[in-house]
Amino acid sequence: MHSAHPARRINPLESGNPANALGIVAFVTLLVLGLGYVVYSLLGDIGDAQAVPWALLILALLAALGFEFVNGFHDTANAVATVIYTHSMPANLAVLWSGFFNFLGVMAASGAVAWGIVSLLPVELILQVNSASGLAMVFALLLAAILWNLGTWWLGLPASSSHTLIGSIVGVGLANQWLTGGAASNGVDWGQVKQIGLSLLISPICGFVAAVLLYFGMRALVRSKALYEPPKGNAPPPRWIRALLIATCTGVSFAHGSNDGQKGMGLIMLILVGIVPTAFALNRTPDASKLSQFREASVQMEEVLKRYTKPGLTVSDPREAVKDAVRQKNYTDATTVGLSGMVQGTLKDVEDFKTLKDVPTTMVSNLRNDMYLIGEALKLIDKRQQLKVSEDDLRVVVAYHKAVDEATSFIPLWVKVGVAIALGLGTVVGWKRIVKTVGEKIGKTHLTYGQGAAAESVAAITIGVADLLGLPVSTTHVLSSGVAGTMAASGSGLNLDTVRSIALAWVLTLPASVLLSGLLFWLFRSVF
């Protein structure tokens, strides 16, 4: 039996010496260098683009980076709660450490989650992201997500930034369909929403159960009593326990950066494509081999589609046939004909150029939109298997899809750096409110070393697996449920008032963000 320890017996948030002057100077120097690199690279990529609406571009980028900043002190604070409340690291050092590994996680991100988030948006708004409706979409979903995250942070509730962003996207999609008179089923990719929704729903349950099992496993295999005792005063734990807790904190921070950071990447790319399409609509790499590979893959894709084209079937507008399939998520015989026509058309568009960088700016937006539609239609084949093809033909489809994605679904290094800085800064600036909830209020007793290690190990693994699968998950809910699981497993007991508040925020986040983003979209659509 564990003896009860009052939650406020010690105050780890005030423990530890402030970061020394050398550390602060190094941090500020790296920050300035990083921001300088972002600005320099942005200006270099824009180059000689004509009539850049700088005010709009800066405002939109600040909104996107603001979302990641809030995400940093809202979600990443969970990663440092255990090391702070077990005195494994001083609070000041812990948040700097976590912020740094958030940065590294963002830099290592694949981009799969980023473009998975973007694909949830209505296809009409993505194709016309530089229109009034497209800009209204971007600002509405960003502002809705920021407002809800700030509100729950102010109340100290570990709500999910992932839930908030998904809800904001759904709200924009529904509002767009209502305003344009279309069916609600066409405004949102409900199949993708369902898949992501399940990952957000199941991940905290998995976190709770896995933390319980891991904690029991630790009790069976590691018999050291020190691991299962709460901190004594302000003394740090034994060295091996301290190393374990710092390692798990590092894992959660890195995994959070690699997953959550991608949401901001996708939104920034959407902003850049919409406001400065001539510079960012296509991956205008000077590498001639990329365009050569695209041509070869296009020719092979044409041959595959010919084998599955219904004899005598024609379509008046290939692009509209493909667009209907993408909008309705329904592949038909007409889609094959339309897709074949679009593949031929894009191949013809680039046949006179050595690289994508040589494509005239007047052609960039249309070529990008055509490639985007092709890529979304290909998902109906290689992801949803709505067109049954042989294994050899499927390999051709996958290769062509990869070539299309390399041309349209790219993320410049400076975008990763900008998001990483925003996420890391958020961690350093606003961590205390959420940390106090996780460290003091979920359980009835003080967090022990073993509980912290088990909860963070489960969180790091869960988020890492989701990142590999290209699915967004909530760091907040996974870690909070992990802490709750260890409290239940150890018999410490749960603070039901806090659990109810977290559950209420979890339930309300989706409908609240849907409503808020829908209203903002309607307002901004009128303004723009």
Side-chain angles (χ1 to χ4, degrees), residues 44-90:
D45 282 353
I46 290 177
D48 298 327
Q50 300 296 316
V52 177
W54 285 106
L56 188 61
L57 176 61
I58 292 172
L59 182 62
L61 290 177
L62 287 177
L65 293 174
F67 167 76
E68 285 299 339
F69 177 79
V70 174
N71 190 357
F73 65 69
H74 198 288
D75 281 21
T76 319
N78 293 276
V80 298
T82 54
V83 290
I84 291 174
Y85 275 87
T86 57
H87 299 292
S88 298
M89 296 180 81

mmCIF file of all heavy atoms in Angstrom, residues 44-90:
data_model
loop_
_atom_site.group_PDB
_atom_site.id
_atom_site.type_symbol
_atom_site.label_atom_id
_atom_site.label_comp_id
_atom_site.label_asym_id
_atom_site.label_seq_id
_atom_site.Cartn_x
_atom_site.Cartn_y
_atom_site.Cartn_z
ATOM 1 N N GLY A 44 13.731 34.208 -50.838
ATOM 2 C CA GLY A 44 14.407 33.565 -51.956
ATOM 3 C C GLY A 44 13.467 32.719 -52.797
ATOM 4 O O GLY A 44 13.553 32.717 -54.031
ATOM 5 N N ASP A 45 12.554 32.008 -52.145
ATOM 6 C CA ASP A 45 11.596 31.177 -52.883
ATOM 7 C C ASP A 45 10.597 32.023 -53.662
ATOM 8 O O ASP A 45 10.182 31.654 -54.767
ATOM 9 C CB ASP A 45 10.848 30.252 -51.920
ATOM 10 C CG ASP A 45 11.680 29.050 -51.498
ATOM 11 O OD1 ASP A 45 12.782 28.881 -52.052
ATOM 12 O OD2 ASP A 45 11.238 28.300 -50.607
ATOM 13 N N ILE A 46 10.190 33.139 -53.083
ATOM 14 C CA ILE A 46 9.244 34.018 -53.786
ATOM 15 C C ILE A 46 9.915 34.651 -54.996
ATOM 16 O O ILE A 46 9.318 34.780 -56.067
ATOM 17 C CB ILE A 46 8.698 35.095 -52.831
ATOM 18 C CG1 ILE A 46 7.760 34.445 -51.809
ATOM 19 C CG2 ILE A 46 7.959 36.192 -53.606
ATOM 20 C CD1 ILE A 46 7.216 35.402 -50.775
ATOM 21 N N GLY A 47 11.179 35.025 -54.831
ATOM 22 C CA GLY A 47 11.957 35.546 -55.950
ATOM 23 C C GLY A 47 11.314 36.730 -56.634
ATOM 24 O O GLY A 47 10.992 37.744 -56.002
ATOM 25 N N ASP A 48 11.089 36.581 -57.937
ATOM 26 C CA ASP A 48 10.561 37.677 -58.747
ATOM 27 C C ASP A 48 9.047 37.591 -58.958
ATOM 28 O O ASP A 48 8.518 38.153 -59.914
ATOM 29 C CB ASP A 48 11.250 37.693 -60.119
ATOM 30 C CG ASP A 48 12.741 37.940 -60.002
ATOM 31 O OD1 ASP A 48 13.150 38.680 -59.088
ATOM 32 O OD2 ASP A 48 13.498 37.372 -60.821
ATOM 33 N N ALA A 49 8.359 36.837 -58.087
ATOM 34 C CA ALA A 49 6.903 36.724 -58.227
ATOM 35 C C ALA A 49 6.267 38.115 -58.216
ATOM 36 O O ALA A 49 6.604 38.969 -57.399
ATOM 37 C CB ALA A 49 6.322 35.886 -57.090
ATOM 38 N N GLN A 50 5.356 38.322 -59.154
ATOM 39 C CA GLN A 50 4.743 39.636 -59.323
ATOM 40 C C GLN A 50 3.550 39.823 -58.379
ATOM 41 O O GLN A 50 2.844 38.882 -58.057
ATOM 42 C CB GLN A 50 4.264 39.811 -60.771
ATOM 43 C CG GLN A 50 5.388 39.710 -61.796
ATOM 44 C CD GLN A 50 6.403 40.820 -61.638
ATOM 45 O OE1 GLN A 50 6.039 41.971 -61.453
ATOM 46 N NE2 GLN A 50 7.678 40.465 -61.725
ATOM 47 N N ALA A 51 3.356 41.040 -57.925
ATOM 48 C CA ALA A 51 2.165 41.447 -57.172
ATOM 49 C C ALA A 51 1.899 40.548 -55.968
ATOM 50 O O ALA A 51 0.820 40.012 -55.789
ATOM 51 C CB ALA A 51 0.939 41.466 -58.096
ATOM 52 N N VAL A 52 2.909 40.369 -55.124
ATOM 53 C CA VAL A 52 2.736 39.569 -53.910
ATOM 54 C C VAL A 52 1.971 40.392 -52.873
ATOM 55 O O VAL A 52 2.430 41.483 -52.493
ATOM 56 C CB VAL A 52 4.099 39.140 -53.338
ATOM 57 C CG1 VAL A 52 3.902 38.363 -52.039
ATOM 58 C CG2 VAL A 52 4.862 38.307 -54.350
ATOM 59 N N PRO A 53 0.820 39.921 -52.393
ATOM 60 C CA PRO A 53 0.078 40.653 -51.352
ATOM 61 C C PRO A 53 0.734 40.420 -49.993
ATOM 62 O O PRO A 53 0.310 39.565 -49.220
ATOM 63 C CB PRO A 53 -1.323 40.040 -51.426
ATOM 64 C CG PRO A 53 -1.100 38.654 -51.949
ATOM 65 C CD PRO A 53 0.108 38.725 -52.843
ATOM 66 N N TRP A 54 1.780 41.199 -49.710
ATOM 67 C CA TRP A 54 2.606 40.939 -48.541
ATOM 68 C C TRP A 54 1.832 40.988 -47.235
ATOM 69 O O TRP A 54 2.067 40.161 -46.332
ATOM 70 C CB TRP A 54 3.771 41.928 -48.509
ATOM 71 C CG TRP A 54 4.830 41.606 -49.509
ATOM 72 C CD1 TRP A 54 5.085 42.256 -50.682
ATOM 73 C CD2 TRP A 54 5.771 40.537 -49.442
ATOM 74 N NE1 TRP A 54 6.128 41.662 -51.351
ATOM 75 C CE2 TRP A 54 6.572 40.597 -50.610
ATOM 76 C CE3 TRP A 54 6.026 39.529 -48.510
ATOM 77 C CZ2 TRP A 54 7.600 39.699 -50.861
ATOM 78 C CZ3 TRP A 54 7.052 38.630 -48.756
ATOM 79 C CH2 TRP A 54 7.823 38.716 -49.915
ATOM 80 N N ALA A 55 0.939 41.948 -47.092
ATOM 81 C CA ALA A 55 0.187 42.071 -45.835
ATOM 82 C C ALA A 55 -0.628 40.813 -45.570
ATOM 83 O O ALA A 55 -0.646 40.277 -44.454
ATOM 84 C CB ALA A 55 -0.717 43.303 -45.888
ATOM 85 N N LEU A 56 -1.302 40.324 -46.616
ATOM 86 C CA LEU A 56 -2.126 39.122 -46.477
ATOM 87 C C LEU A 56 -1.257 37.897 -46.202
ATOM 88 O O LEU A 56 -1.588 37.059 -45.360
ATOM 89 C CB LEU A 56 -2.945 38.913 -47.752
ATOM 90 C CG LEU A 56 -4.011 37.810 -47.727
ATOM 91 C CD1 LEU A 56 -5.052 38.111 -46.669
ATOM 92 C CD2 LEU A 56 -4.670 37.706 -49.098
ATOM 93 N N LEU A 57 -0.133 37.812 -46.902
ATOM 94 C CA LEU A 57 0.762 36.673 -46.723
ATOM 95 C C LEU A 57 1.321 36.638 -45.303
ATOM 96 O O LEU A 57 1.319 35.578 -44.645
ATOM 97 C CB LEU A 57 1.911 36.755 -47.736
ATOM 98 C CG LEU A 57 2.998 35.666 -47.621
ATOM 99 C CD1 LEU A 57 2.401 34.284 -47.840
ATOM 100 C CD2 LEU A 57 4.128 35.932 -48.615
ATOM 101 N N ILE A 58 1.790 37.766 -44.811
ATOM 102 C CA ILE A 58 2.365 37.820 -43.464
ATOM 103 C C ILE A 58 1.303 37.500 -42.414
ATOM 104 O O ILE A 58 1.551 36.748 -41.461
ATOM 105 C CB ILE A 58 2.985 39.208 -43.210
ATOM 106 C CG1 ILE A 58 4.222 39.393 -44.109
ATOM 107 C CG2 ILE A 58 3.371 39.372 -41.745
ATOM 108 C CD1 ILE A 58 4.793 40.800 -44.084
ATOM 109 N N LEU A 59 0.097 38.054 -42.585
ATOM 110 C CA LEU A 59 -0.988 37.797 -41.636
ATOM 111 C C LEU A 59 -1.341 36.310 -41.598
ATOM 112 O O LEU A 59 -1.521 35.724 -40.512
ATOM 113 C CB LEU A 59 -2.221 38.621 -42.023
ATOM 114 C CG LEU A 59 -3.441 38.495 -41.100
ATOM 115 C CD1 LEU A 59 -3.093 38.981 -39.694
ATOM 116 C CD2 LEU A 59 -4.612 39.293 -41.663
ATOM 117 N N ALA A 60 -1.418 35.692 -42.773
ATOM 118 C CA ALA A 60 -1.772 34.278 -42.834
ATOM 119 C C ALA A 60 -0.684 33.401 -42.219
ATOM 120 O O ALA A 60 -0.976 32.444 -41.477
ATOM 121 C CB ALA A 60 -2.018 33.867 -44.289
ATOM 122 N N LEU A 61 0.574 33.709 -42.515
ATOM 123 C CA LEU A 61 1.673 32.927 -41.946
ATOM 124 C C LEU A 61 1.740 33.087 -40.431
ATOM 125 O O LEU A 61 1.995 32.113 -39.703
ATOM 126 C CB LEU A 61 3.000 33.346 -42.576
ATOM 127 C CG LEU A 61 3.205 32.949 -44.044
ATOM 128 C CD1 LEU A 61 4.527 33.490 -44.563
ATOM 129 C CD2 LEU A 61 3.161 31.430 -44.212
ATOM 130 N N LEU A 62 1.507 34.301 -39.943
ATOM 131 C CA LEU A 62 1.493 34.520 -38.498
ATOM 132 C C LEU A 62 0.366 33.729 -37.838
ATOM 133 O O LEU A 62 0.527 33.204 -36.727
ATOM 134 C CB LEU A 62 1.355 36.014 -38.182
ATOM 135 C CG LEU A 62 2.594 36.875 -38.439
ATOM 136 C CD1 LEU A 62 2.289 38.345 -38.162
ATOM 137 C CD2 LEU A 62 3.772 36.406 -37.576
ATOM 138 N N ALA A 63 -0.787 33.643 -38.512
ATOM 139 C CA ALA A 63 -1.907 32.864 -37.964
ATOM 140 C C ALA A 63 -1.545 31.387 -37.879
ATOM 141 O O ALA A 63 -1.815 30.713 -36.879
ATOM 142 C CB ALA A 63 -3.147 33.071 -38.826
ATOM 143 N N ALA A 64 -0.914 30.854 -38.938
ATOM 144 C CA ALA A 64 -0.529 29.441 -38.949
ATOM 145 C C ALA A 64 0.532 29.150 -37.897
ATOM 146 O O ALA A 64 0.452 28.152 -37.172
ATOM 147 C CB ALA A 64 -0.029 29.042 -40.334
ATOM 148 N N LEU A 65 1.539 30.012 -37.797
ATOM 149 C CA LEU A 65 2.573 29.831 -36.788
ATOM 150 C C LEU A 65 2.008 30.069 -35.386
ATOM 151 O O LEU A 65 2.460 29.440 -34.416
ATOM 152 C CB LEU A 65 3.744 30.772 -37.056
ATOM 153 C CG LEU A 65 4.534 30.473 -38.341
ATOM 154 C CD1 LEU A 65 5.584 31.555 -38.579
ATOM 155 C CD2 LEU A 65 5.196 29.102 -38.266
ATOM 156 N N GLY A 66 1.012 30.962 -35.287
ATOM 157 C CA GLY A 66 0.349 31.180 -34.001
ATOM 158 C C GLY A 66 -0.370 29.931 -33.528
ATOM 159 O O GLY A 66 -0.366 29.609 -32.329
ATOM 160 N N PHE A 67 -0.989 29.197 -34.459
ATOM 161 C CA PHE A 67 -1.633 27.929 -34.103
ATOM 162 C C PHE A 67 -0.604 26.953 -33.540
ATOM 163 O O PHE A 67 -0.844 26.285 -32.525
ATOM 164 C CB PHE A 67 -2.315 27.329 -35.332
ATOM 165 C CG PHE A 67 -2.737 25.894 -35.142
ATOM 166 C CD1 PHE A 67 -3.856 25.589 -34.378
ATOM 167 C CD2 PHE A 67 -2.012 24.861 -35.709
ATOM 168 C CE1 PHE A 67 -4.234 24.268 -34.186
ATOM 169 C CE2 PHE A 67 -2.381 23.542 -35.535
ATOM 170 C CZ PHE A 67 -3.511 23.240 -34.767
ATOM 171 N N GLU A 68 0.569 26.859 -34.167
ATOM 172 C CA GLU A 68 1.601 25.947 -33.678
ATOM 173 C C GLU A 68 2.187 26.434 -32.350
ATOM 174 O O GLU A 68 2.546 25.622 -31.494
ATOM 175 C CB GLU A 68 2.709 25.790 -34.719
ATOM 176 C CG GLU A 68 2.330 24.922 -35.896
ATOM 177 C CD GLU A 68 1.978 23.500 -35.495
ATOM 178 O OE1 GLU A 68 2.384 23.053 -34.404
ATOM 179 O OE2 GLU A 68 1.293 22.822 -36.263
ATOM 180 N N PHE A 69 2.277 27.748 -32.175
ATOM 181 C CA PHE A 69 2.757 28.301 -30.907
ATOM 182 C C PHE A 69 1.827 27.902 -29.763
ATOM 183 O O PHE A 69 2.264 27.423 -28.716
ATOM 184 C CB PHE A 69 2.858 29.823 -31.023
ATOM 185 C CG PHE A 69 3.281 30.513 -29.757
ATOM 186 C CD1 PHE A 69 4.616 30.539 -29.386
ATOM 187 C CD2 PHE A 69 2.352 31.130 -28.950
ATOM 188 C CE1 PHE A 69 5.011 31.185 -28.209
ATOM 189 C CE2 PHE A 69 2.730 31.769 -27.772
ATOM 190 C CZ PHE A 69 4.062 31.791 -27.408
ATOM 191 N N VAL A 70 0.534 28.087 -29.985
ATOM 192 C CA VAL A 70 -0.452 27.698 -28.968
ATOM 193 C C VAL A 70 -0.410 26.191 -28.752
ATOM 194 O O VAL A 70 -0.527 25.694 -27.626
ATOM 195 C CB VAL A 70 -1.857 28.170 -29.381
ATOM 196 C CG1 VAL A 70 -2.910 27.653 -28.402
ATOM 197 C CG2 VAL A 70 -1.914 29.687 -29.445
ATOM 198 N N ASN A 71 -0.271 25.459 -29.839
ATOM 199 C CA ASN A 71 -0.155 24.010 -29.753
ATOM 200 C C ASN A 71 1.022 23.623 -28.861
ATOM 201 O O ASN A 71 0.954 22.672 -28.078
ATOM 202 C CB ASN A 71 0.034 23.436 -31.164
ATOM 203 C CG ASN A 71 -0.074 21.929 -31.214
ATOM 204 O OD1 ASN A 71 -0.241 21.259 -30.196
ATOM 205 N ND2 ASN A 71 0.017 21.382 -32.409
ATOM 206 N N GLY A 72 2.116 24.389 -28.954
ATOM 207 C CA GLY A 72 3.307 24.101 -28.169
ATOM 208 C C GLY A 72 3.062 24.173 -26.680
ATOM 209 O O GLY A 72 3.366 23.241 -25.936
ATOM 210 N N PHE A 73 2.477 25.279 -26.205
ATOM 211 C CA PHE A 73 2.294 25.361 -24.756
ATOM 212 C C PHE A 73 1.033 24.658 -24.286
ATOM 213 O O PHE A 73 0.840 24.438 -23.094
ATOM 214 C CB PHE A 73 2.356 26.817 -24.236
ATOM 215 C CG PHE A 73 1.266 27.735 -24.692
ATOM 216 C CD1 PHE A 73 -0.034 27.598 -24.275
ATOM 217 C CD2 PHE A 73 1.571 28.808 -25.525
ATOM 218 C CE1 PHE A 73 -1.013 28.504 -24.665
ATOM 219 C CE2 PHE A 73 0.597 29.709 -25.925
ATOM 220 C CZ PHE A 73 -0.700 29.549 -25.495
ATOM 221 N N HIS A 74 0.181 24.259 -25.227
ATOM 222 C CA HIS A 74 -1.038 23.544 -24.856
ATOM 223 C C HIS A 74 -0.802 22.046 -24.800
ATOM 224 O O HIS A 74 -1.177 21.376 -23.841
ATOM 225 C CB HIS A 74 -2.142 23.859 -25.876
ATOM 226 C CG HIS A 74 -3.512 23.533 -25.390
ATOM 227 N ND1 HIS A 74 -3.970 22.253 -25.253
ATOM 228 C CD2 HIS A 74 -4.533 24.338 -25.012
ATOM 229 C CE1 HIS A 74 -5.224 22.275 -24.814
ATOM 230 N NE2 HIS A 74 -5.587 23.532 -24.662
ATOM 231 N N ASP A 75 -0.175 21.495 -25.833
ATOM 232 C CA ASP A 75 0.002 20.049 -25.929
ATOM 233 C C ASP A 75 1.361 19.578 -25.412
ATOM 234 O O ASP A 75 1.449 18.593 -24.694
ATOM 235 C CB ASP A 75 -0.144 19.601 -27.387
ATOM 236 C CG ASP A 75 -1.599 19.502 -27.805
ATOM 237 O OD1 ASP A 75 -2.430 20.145 -27.141
ATOM 238 O OD2 ASP A 75 -1.904 18.807 -28.781
ATOM 239 N N THR A 76 2.426 20.274 -25.795
ATOM 240 C CA THR A 76 3.748 19.792 -25.439
ATOM 241 C C THR A 76 4.006 19.890 -23.949
ATOM 242 O O THR A 76 4.862 19.174 -23.418
ATOM 243 C CB THR A 76 4.831 20.597 -26.190
ATOM 244 O OG1 THR A 76 4.409 20.818 -27.516
ATOM 245 C CG2 THR A 76 6.143 19.856 -26.206
ATOM 246 N N ALA A 77 3.260 20.743 -23.267
ATOM 247 C CA ALA A 77 3.422 20.842 -21.819
ATOM 248 C C ALA A 77 3.228 19.489 -21.140
ATOM 249 O O ALA A 77 3.809 19.217 -20.083
ATOM 250 C CB ALA A 77 2.425 21.861 -21.259
ATOM 251 N N ASN A 78 2.420 18.631 -21.755
ATOM 252 C CA ASN A 78 2.212 17.301 -21.183
ATOM 253 C C ASN A 78 3.521 16.525 -21.080
ATOM 254 O O ASN A 78 3.716 15.719 -20.164
ATOM 255 C CB ASN A 78 1.235 16.512 -22.059
ATOM 256 C CG ASN A 78 -0.159 17.093 -22.036
ATOM 257 O OD1 ASN A 78 -0.948 16.809 -21.163
ATOM 258 N ND2 ASN A 78 -0.461 17.934 -23.014
ATOM 259 N N ALA A 79 4.407 16.725 -22.046
ATOM 260 C CA ALA A 79 5.648 15.954 -22.079
ATOM 261 C C ALA A 79 6.542 16.258 -20.890
ATOM 262 O O ALA A 79 7.285 15.393 -20.426
ATOM 263 C CB ALA A 79 6.390 16.232 -23.385
ATOM 264 N N VAL A 80 6.503 17.497 -20.385
ATOM 265 C CA VAL A 80 7.409 17.879 -19.299
ATOM 266 C C VAL A 80 6.787 17.691 -17.931
ATOM 267 O O VAL A 80 7.485 17.815 -16.916
ATOM 268 C CB VAL A 80 7.880 19.350 -19.458
ATOM 269 C CG1 VAL A 80 8.655 19.525 -20.739
ATOM 270 C CG2 VAL A 80 6.698 20.316 -19.411
ATOM 271 N N ALA A 81 5.497 17.390 -17.864
ATOM 272 C CA ALA A 81 4.831 17.290 -16.563
ATOM 273 C C ALA A 81 5.480 16.239 -15.669
ATOM 274 O O ALA A 81 5.721 16.468 -14.483
ATOM 275 C CB ALA A 81 3.349 16.971 -16.756
ATOM 276 N N THR A 82 5.777 15.071 -16.216
ATOM 277 C CA THR A 82 6.298 13.986 -15.390
ATOM 278 C C THR A 82 7.712 14.264 -14.891
ATOM 279 O O THR A 82 8.035 13.989 -13.737
ATOM 280 C CB THR A 82 6.266 12.661 -16.162
ATOM 281 O OG1 THR A 82 6.952 12.824 -17.402
ATOM 282 C CG2 THR A 82 4.838 12.232 -16.449
ATOM 283 N N VAL A 83 8.577 14.813 -15.745
ATOM 284 C CA VAL A 83 9.950 15.067 -15.282
ATOM 285 C C VAL A 83 9.989 16.207 -14.272
ATOM 286 O O VAL A 83 10.836 16.222 -13.370
ATOM 287 C CB VAL A 83 10.904 15.371 -16.462
ATOM 288 C CG1 VAL A 83 11.147 14.131 -17.273
ATOM 289 C CG2 VAL A 83 10.415 16.517 -17.317
ATOM 290 N N ILE A 84 9.066 17.166 -14.394
ATOM 291 C CA ILE A 84 9.026 18.268 -13.444
ATOM 292 C C ILE A 84 8.495 17.782 -12.100
ATOM 293 O O ILE A 84 9.051 18.074 -11.039
ATOM 294 C CB ILE A 84 8.173 19.428 -13.985
ATOM 295 C CG1 ILE A 84 8.873 20.097 -15.163
ATOM 296 C CG2 ILE A 84 7.894 20.457 -12.885
ATOM 297 C CD1 ILE A 84 8.047 21.169 -15.848
ATOM 298 N N TYR A 85 7.416 17.004 -12.119
ATOM 299 C CA TYR A 85 6.773 16.581 -10.877
ATOM 300 C C TYR A 85 7.468 15.412 -10.200
ATOM 301 O O TYR A 85 7.098 15.026 -9.098
ATOM 302 C CB TYR A 85 5.290 16.281 -11.114
ATOM 303 C CG TYR A 85 4.470 17.541 -11.020
ATOM 304 C CD1 TYR A 85 4.283 18.346 -12.126
ATOM 305 C CD2 TYR A 85 3.972 17.982 -9.800
ATOM 306 C CE1 TYR A 85 3.592 19.536 -12.044
ATOM 307 C CE2 TYR A 85 3.280 19.168 -9.700
ATOM 308 C CZ TYR A 85 3.090 19.934 -10.817
ATOM 309 O OH TYR A 85 2.409 21.120 -10.716
ATOM 310 N N THR A 86 8.472 14.837 -10.851
ATOM 311 C CA THR A 86 9.313 13.847 -10.180
ATOM 312 C C THR A 86 10.692 14.410 -9.881
ATOM 313 O O THR A 86 11.583 13.680 -9.447
ATOM 314 C CB THR A 86 9.459 12.586 -11.055
ATOM 315 O OG1 THR A 86 9.987 12.956 -12.331
ATOM 316 C CG2 THR A 86 8.122 11.885 -11.236
ATOM 317 N N HIS A 87 10.885 15.706 -10.141
ATOM 318 C CA HIS A 87 12.149 16.405 -9.882
ATOM 319 C C HIS A 87 13.314 15.798 -10.653
ATOM 320 O O HIS A 87 14.464 15.876 -10.213
ATOM 321 C CB HIS A 87 12.464 16.413 -8.383
ATOM 322 C CG HIS A 87 11.427 17.113 -7.564
ATOM 323 N ND1 HIS A 87 11.203 18.462 -7.630
ATOM 324 C CD2 HIS A 87 10.507 16.616 -6.686
ATOM 325 C CE1 HIS A 87 10.209 18.782 -6.825
ATOM 326 N NE2 HIS A 87 9.764 17.687 -6.241
ATOM 327 N N SER A 88 13.008 15.197 -11.798
ATOM 328 C CA SER A 88 14.085 14.660 -12.632
ATOM 329 C C SER A 88 14.840 15.768 -13.346
ATOM 330 O O SER A 88 16.024 15.616 -13.665
ATOM 331 C CB SER A 88 13.508 13.686 -13.670
ATOM 332 O OG SER A 88 12.900 12.591 -13.033
ATOM 333 N N MET A 89 14.139 16.861 -13.627
ATOM 334 C CA MET A 89 14.779 18.022 -14.239
ATOM 335 C C MET A 89 14.164 19.279 -13.640
ATOM 336 O O MET A 89 12.953 19.300 -13.348
ATOM 337 C CB MET A 89 14.558 18.042 -15.763
ATOM 338 C CG MET A 89 15.172 16.898 -16.533
ATOM 339 S SD MET A 89 14.859 17.027 -18.330
ATOM 340 C CE MET A 89 16.143 18.193 -18.792
ATOM 341 N N PRO A 90 14.940 20.342 -13.453
ATOM 342 C CA PRO A 90 14.352 21.620 -13.051
ATOM 343 C C PRO A 90 13.376 22.095 -14.130
ATOM 344 O O PRO A 90 13.569 21.827 -15.322
ATOM 345 C CB PRO A 90 15.557 22.564 -12.949
ATOM 346 C CG PRO A 90 16.740 21.666 -12.833
ATOM 347 C CD PRO A 90 16.402 20.423 -13.585
#
